[in-house]
Amino acid sequence: MKNLLLSMALFLFSAVSIFAQDSPYQKAMKKEIAKLNDADSLSKYQQSANAFARISQLNPNEWQPYYYNALAYVYQGLDNSLDLNKKDEVLAKAEELIKKAEAISPENSEIVTLEGFKIMAEVSADPASRGQSMSGAVLTTFGKAMKMDPQNPRASLLMGQMEFGMAKFFKSGTEKACGLVKQSQAIFAAQDDEALKAKLAPTWGRPLAEKSAKACQ
Amino acid sequence: MKAILILLTIYFLTLSAEAQTTISGKISDQKGARMPGANILIKGTYDGTSSDANGNFKFETSETGKHIVVFQALGYKPQEREIEFSGQPLSFGISLAESINVLTAVTITAGAMEASDTKKAVVLKPLDIVTTSGAMGNITAALLTLPGTSTVGNDGRLFVRGGDASETSIFIDGLQVGNAYGSTATNVPTRNRFSPNLFKGSFFSTGGYSAEYGQALSSALALNTLDLPLRNQGDLSIMSLGGGYTQTLVKDNNALTATANYYNLAPYQSLVNQKFDWEKSPSSWDTEVSLRHKLGKTGFLKAYAHTEGSNMTIWQKVAGESRRGDRVHINNRYSYGNLSFRQSGKNDWFFYGGLAYSHNRDAINLNYVPVRQINQLGHAKIVAVKDFSPQFSLKNGIEYYLKSYSEELVDNQLKRSITDNQLNHFIETDYYFSNRLIFRGGLRSGYSTASKQFWMDPRISLAYKLNNQGQFSIAAGKFHQLPDEKLRVLQNNLKNAEASHYILNYFIVNNNRTFRAEAFYKTYTNLSTYNGTDLAPVNIIQNGSGYARGADIFYRDKTSFKNTDFWVSYSFVDSKRQYSVYETKVQPSFAPKHNGSVVVKHFVSALKSQLGTSWSWNNGYTYNDPNLAGEMQRKTKAYSDLSISWSYLPRPNMILHIACSNILGRNNVFGYKYAAQPDDAGSFSRIPVGQGASRMLFAGLFITLSRDKNANQLNNL
């Protein structure tokens, strides 16, 4: 009897502890993060954005739902099938969400990187009239993110991409740009994806790093 | 034991046996068009979905009881419905109404030309002001390539639509700047004192502007200073005319910028032949300090101080006299300080305002007779804006101005002065009927203690956006301005002159092409007229009147030619007024009928260079010939100036800039000075008012020193 009670208690406890490891919030987040990583079309990005919006209305004090919500909008802002007004609209929405994430988690290298990524998308929406005035802000923002966390592979990767563009423009060497891309590849290679995923931490950027590394060769 | 088993059963049952409710439907916009990508969710749960390509959606929920279902989409007002879930399928047909989107909604463009990096309905980017060939870092010169302006080469200030230069007021962060242009001798052109790289954007109105601005009959130029700079850096400039250094320090939410510059035209003028007879070439120094502090998420507190001094001595020929002419020596000291803030409050309140003060002292030596002139302008302002809804906002502001001017014949200890206190209030509302239609109405009132006059200026504008992104705006309003201080000092109680503006504007931006067309009509009453001369007026009365009417067009294109950005503007102004010493309505010398300009910027990446050219033209300035009957009977030949520039970026942090104005060496004449008395043959002899030199050459090297090797001074050209 006692044994039964004990095993019962253990059973219930383990059931609860499974829940503790993976709350509905975490479950939902993991599912949606995986979906966003695989998304490849405007409608899928929008579905992701909506899904994260649903999660954040229940969990307004977590920064990750805002972060991925914003990321889904930045991806849309990079889609060339949208016109400039539409791009600016989604990027303005991304900015609003980044601000919310930042308010919850200040001095977060990932959020700052996303901010830089968003400005980068704004520049590429209209490079002729924004390139000169806004490129500086992109570089400074990535620089800030790298300083906060030198092990952030997305910050060094995007900085490398930006530097690559500048080097081509000024017809100067791409060593610095490619060094950054290599650096990000090394960090990607060393990172424990499963551990990061369990923390709902960003893992995206690996395929882009490989693509950029090829451009460097 | 049994009890435990029952408990367990219940535990598992509650996990699995739940009623499922299917929710489906279709989302459309107000016109019935299907809306993909809308978000449908049950508040307080993870349940929800997105609408598909046809606007349809369907999902299931295990929730029961009363819940709120939310339908939302980017750019639309969300809708909520309270629903009872009971297992019965539910279906919705939802039509979402557009929300006001400040990014894409209609904007009032009548009279307005904006330079901004963030807004859509702009004609310029802030950087354009510095990269426009011929502007040579002078804000005013860049604005003179825009429609509605006239280049008056012997003055250098902004002349807008038949108005004289005093009819344009200049504001920095909403606060007026006194003596915004450097002091200079008659017929020697001046420059704006403020460097364009202080500003993140500008708003230039050629008429019909907001009730927020007053005491300007024609035009308002509002300049907005930069917020937080990006990084610590030093900017060094070495120019053919002088040099300077700026240090910027940024930490967290604070920034400090300090600048010092020195200019001296003597070395340049000794190398290049000058038409002006300089005894001492112009030289000047300036320093400025700017402090910025970010307040919370959106607020800013800014302090800015600028002080400068300049010197020049010039001999100016007098018609009918063979001597060297009049000797004019000017020593100027100028200081401007500005303290401003902006902050959002709770419940959609927004506040801004500040204090500004400028002091200008000109010690003039006219043929060795010392004259001393002092201008002071103090401005205090506080504005509260309340957004009652995304559609409707109300702005309310109070302003106080202190204006004083004195002039003194130093040797005779003869002094006269005027001090005026002005109190102003303005209220203005913006109402969006939809994303396509906006109304703005405002009322400005003021009182001046010197003129003992109270006045009211009602102003309205309306803008409507068409299907194709183009939009129409209209604006109308009344504008009051007290006469120039040089008249008021003679008669302290002079009243306001009055102008009415009517403007119709069409504006379209599409795919990096901008087209703007505007027609206007402006009337003037109560202009000051007098006998004597401009320098010594007598019998001032205020019953002069006049009008200006015309149209202007502007086209800018950044895409049609690869790596090329160009704009063309043309302005037609038909203006006549009875003012100054004129007894009849005449076309003022500063209002040429036909004005045009072309600006081209071409980027050559192989040369790492930007090549620029600008051409400015008008069909000539009227002038008065005392040998003929009547007034302002004659007109000079057409004015034309072709400038070129070359900016070379050998390294990202280094720019070499070379520019030359009037490359063709055209001998432009802006008018004629006539002798006061006829000569022996009975005719008045004359001398032309021309340019200081055939051409102006400029070379400068700009180096940015920072850890970030890509930083440059592109915005310093």
Side-chain angles (χ1 to χ4, degrees), chain B residues 192-481:
Chain B
N192 195 302
R193 293 184 193 268
F194 299 95
S195 155
N197 52 337
L198 283 171
F199 306 106
K200 67 172 179 190
S202 64
F203 183 88
F204 175 43
S205 173
T206 51
Y209 44 88
S210 153
E212 185 167 348
Y213 305 113
Q215 286 295 316
L217 287 179
S218 281
S219 162
L221 171 62
L223 301 161
N224 298 314
T225 59
L226 288 167
D227 294 334
L228 281 188
L230 290 171
R231 60 179 91 75
N232 291 349
Q233 67 179 52
D235 293 306
L236 179 68
S237 52
I238 304 158
M239 293 166 276
S240 51
L241 310 174
Y245 184 76
T246 301
Q247 181 64 48
T248 304
L249 297 170
V250 193
K251 187 141 203 294
D252 302 327
N253 290 325
N254 299 294
L256 168 76
T257 306
T259 301
N261 294 301
Y262 177 74
Y263 303 95
N264 193 332
L265 271 68
Y268 173 77
Q269 291 186 341
S270 67
L271 290 170
V272 180
N273 190 28
Q274 298 292 307
K275 291 185 179 169
F276 286 166
D277 180 5
W278 293 105
E279 180 184 312
K280 189 173 176 303
S281 295
S283 64
S284 69
W285 57 269
D286 64 76
T287 63
E288 56 187 34
V289 176
S290 141
L291 284 160
R292 281 151 282 185
H293 173 68
K294 198 172 176 194
L295 290 170
K297 279 180 192 162
T298 53
F300 262 96
L301 184 66
K302 294 176 179 177
Y304 170 72
H306 174 110
T307 184
E308 65 176 76
S310 70
N311 258 303
M312 63 170 81
T313 310
I314 189 170
W315 289 83
Q316 297 188 306
K317 274 262 177 230
V318 179
E321 293 181 19
S322 54
R323 63 186 178 101
R324 194 174 176 187
D326 287 333
R327 180 183 181 273
V328 185
H329 167 79
I330 299 178
N331 174 293
N332 173 254
R333 277 286 283 124
Y334 175 78
S335 297
Y336 176 70
N338 174 321
L339 184 69
S340 70
F341 81 97
R342 60 173 202 261
Q343 180 65 291
S344 1
K346 281 181 184 152
N347 302 322
D348 298 310
W349 281 94
F350 178 67
F351 303 93
Y352 62 95
L355 296 165
Y357 173 73
S358 61
H359 185 280
N360 185 71
R361 194 267 290 138
D362 289 316
I364 301 167
N365 231 305
L366 188 59
N367 292 329
Y368 301 101
V369 177
V371 179
R372 206 177 150 87
Q373 299 174 337
I374 295 175
N375 289 71
Q376 291 179 83
L377 194 154
H379 184 190
K381 174 172 174 177
I382 180 125
V383 185
V385 188
K386 163 89 175 164
D387 289 333
F388 288 95
S389 75
Q391 278 89 1
F392 174 52
S393 72
L394 193 66
K395 194 189 258 189
N396 230 310
I398 291 183
E399 291 177 284
Y400 167 73
Y401 283 95
L402 168 72
K403 292 180 180 176
S404 90
Y405 172 68
S406 70
E407 50 188 28
E408 183 183 6
L409 272 171
V410 181
D411 290 348
N412 310 26
Q413 290 187 319
L414 276 175
K415 190 176 175 180
R416 55 196 177 198
S417 65
I418 174 166
T419 301
D420 190 12
N421 298 279
Q422 288 170 21
L423 195 64
N424 291 278
H425 170 258
F426 63 87
I427 183 163
E428 187 175 74
T429 177
D430 274 11
Y431 186 81
Y432 285 93
F433 292 94
S434 71
N435 274 325
R436 285 166 175 272
L437 181 64
I438 182 176
F439 166 81
R440 175 177 293 165
L443 181 69
R444 183 181 178 85
S445 50
Y447 180 78
S448 148
T449 54
S451 72
K452 297 191 175 57
Q453 189 186 16
F454 173 79
W455 65 92
M456 281 217 284
D457 289 339
R459 299 176 195 171
I460 56 158
S461 30
L462 199 66
Y464 181 71
K465 196 170 192 167
L466 306 166
N467 277 330
N468 65 350
Q469 301 291 317
Q471 57 170 58
F472 280 103
S473 315
I474 54 169
K478 268 205 182 320
F479 300 81
H480 280 86
Q481 184 176 6

Side-chain angles (χ1 to χ4, degrees), chain A residues 120-202:
Chain A
M120 205 169 150
E122 284 172 335
V123 173
S124 58
D126 189 1
S129 64
R130 295 179 183 173
Q132 265 181 333
S133 58
M134 288 168 69
S135 297
V138 179
L139 294 167
T140 336
T141 313
F142 288 142
K144 206 169 128 193
M146 286 171 70
K147 213 170 154 191
M148 284 174 175
D149 178 10
Q151 290 301 305
N152 183 341
R154 280 158 292 283
S156 42
L157 169 61
L158 294 170
M159 179 73 127
Q161 281 218 316
M162 202 62 200
E163 292 269 1
F164 193 78
M166 306 270 303
K168 274 189 143 175
F169 185 81
F170 287 105
K171 301 217 168 17
S172 51
T174 55
E175 301 79 21
K176 189 183 170 198
C178 292
L180 284 162
V181 172
K182 273 205 189 106
Q183 183 188 329
S184 86
Q185 268 191 310
I187 306 170
F188 274 123
Q191 80 184 11
D192 179 355
D193 273 15
E194 291 314 310
L196 288 170
K197 278 179 185 160
K199 285 198 296 183
L200 308 178

Side-chain angles (χ1 to χ4, degrees), chain B residues 45 151 153 161 174 195-196 221 227 238 261 301 315 354 378 420 461 499 525 541 579 583 588 592 625 633 638 698:
Chain B
T45 75
T151 301
R161 288 186 175 160
S195 155
L221 171 62
D227 294 334
I238 304 158
N261 294 301
L301 184 66
W315 289 83
D420 190 12
S461 30
T525 53
I541 49 169
Y579 73 113
E583 287 167 0
D625 182 346
Q633 324 85 334
F698 173 88

Side-chain angles (χ1 to χ4, degrees), chain B residues 155-197:
Chain B
D155 190 289
R157 294 179 292 173
L158 267 174
F159 290 81
V160 176
R161 288 186 175 160
D164 71 33
S166 74
E167 294 177 28
T168 299
S169 284
I170 301 181
F171 302 84
I172 293 180
D173 288 333
L175 299 164
Q176 196 173 351
V177 186
N179 298 80
Y181 299 98
S183 298
T184 185
T186 316
N187 295 324
V188 178
T190 179
R191 286 170 63 91
N192 195 302
R193 293 184 193 268
F194 299 95
S195 155
N197 52 337

Side-chain angles (χ1 to χ4, degrees), chain A residues 1 9 11 39 44 46 56-57 68 70 85 90 112 119 123 136 143 146 153 171 184 187-188 192 201 215-216:
Chain A
M1 180 66 212
F11 173 76
K44 283 182 182 158
Q46 185 56 45
S56 45
Q57 55 102 22
Y68 290 105
N85 277 338
V90 293
V112 175
I119 309 172
V123 173
M146 286 171 70
K171 301 217 168 17
S184 86
I187 306 170
F188 274 123
D192 179 355
C216 274

